Amino acid sequence: MRSAVDNQASKRIVILLGLPGSGKGTLASLCTRELGWPQLSTGDLCRRHIAQGTEVGKSIDFAIKSGKLVSDSIISNMVFDWLIASFAGVDTVVFDGFPRTAEQAQLLNDFLTSKFPICKLELVKLEVPDQVVRNRIANRLICGNRDCQAGYSQVAGSSFCSKVANQCDRCGGVLKKRSDDNDLALDTRLKTYAEHEQRLLDILKVDDNEIVVLNGNRSIEEVFAEMKDALGV
Ligand code: AMP
């Protein structure tokens, strides 16, 4: 249990959980745009390292392409560097894609206890059937600009289509397929998620953090509205 420390402002991390393609990234972006919560997407951070050709990027490229998890220590260090840089001036941040294993959940708890002792975790899980997630991912494109990576759908008539074909609405970047959005890597990602979810929840729930479970198979606006209600924002 994290103890109260009077000289630190209270902080909150909203942790989005759910299968790949369940809408965590889209919901996190909405939280940033509408509520001003900085968004940490570990997948985006990993892909940025790969696009920049950093040493970390070279070491994780194969794991990402094959749909496997990157090592707990590499990911956790990225997250903690980000938190130290991003948590100073705000009270709430939103996590998309971290923690993903029990080990990461434990490392997060330990880090918060030492650096941000008055920090509440809010767990929000998006539930979407496997087949819906598979369809979304089969039709997903992302912006190739490593600093943008906005997500789009190729399904004609979808509200997630880009306004101009193959061009990002936000930055004009060229849209592309993610290297891990293929059947083989997706099978691994779905299996991996199922293997880790309960164990990581067992660790995160230690402090009696409630889980808000939302039906993610609806418009993102409906999901966002229900999440705000549930969190009282
Ligand atoms: P995402 O964009 O969240 O679907 O993540 C894409 C890929 O990045 C994952 O399949 C992993 O290879 C890697 N990744 C992202 N977040 C994590 C994490 N918390 N732990 C381990 N690997 C991660």
Side-chain angles (χ1 to χ4, degrees), residues 119-147:
C119 183
K120 181 167 170 43
L121 302 182
E122 307 263 21
L123 311 180
V124 176
K125 180 173 173 199
L126 300 182
E127 284 197 327
V128 178
D130 271 31
Q131 196 47 51
V132 174
V133 156
R134 285 182 182 278
N135 285 340
R136 285 183 185 175
I137 286 185
N139 289 293
R140 176 158 75 179
L141 294 175
I142 63 163
C143 175
N145 171 359
R146 65 187 180 213
D147 296 322

Side-chain angles (χ1 to χ4, degrees), residues 1-3 13 15 76 79-80 83 95 98-99 101-117 119-121 123 199-209:
M1 174 72 82
R2 282 181 283 285
S3 61
I13 301 178
I15 296 179
S76 302
V79 171
F80 302 153
L83 263 182
F95 277 10
F98 182 90
T101 64
E103 291 73 13
Q104 291 174 18
Q106 191 57 56
L107 288 168
L108 176 64
N109 269 342
D110 295 346
F111 173 82
L112 293 174
T113 300
S114 76
K115 299 284 183 208
F116 299 102
C119 183
K120 181 167 170 43
L121 302 182
L123 311 180
R199 285 182 56 227
L200 91 89
L201 284 178
D202 289 344
I203 305 244
L204 292 179
K205 282 162 70 183
V206 161
D207 289 352
D208 294 330
N209 301 296

Side-chain angles (χ1 to χ4, degrees), residues 20 41-44 46-47 63-64 67-70 75 96-100 104 140 178 180 189:
S41 163
T42 42
D44 285 357
C46 290
R47 285 184 288 276
I64 301 248
K68 298 199 173 116
L69 292 180
V70 170
I75 283 284
D96 151 29
F98 182 90
R100 260 192 167 80
Q104 291 174 18
R140 176 158 75 179
R178 271 173 51 165
D180 56 348
R189 287 156 66 203

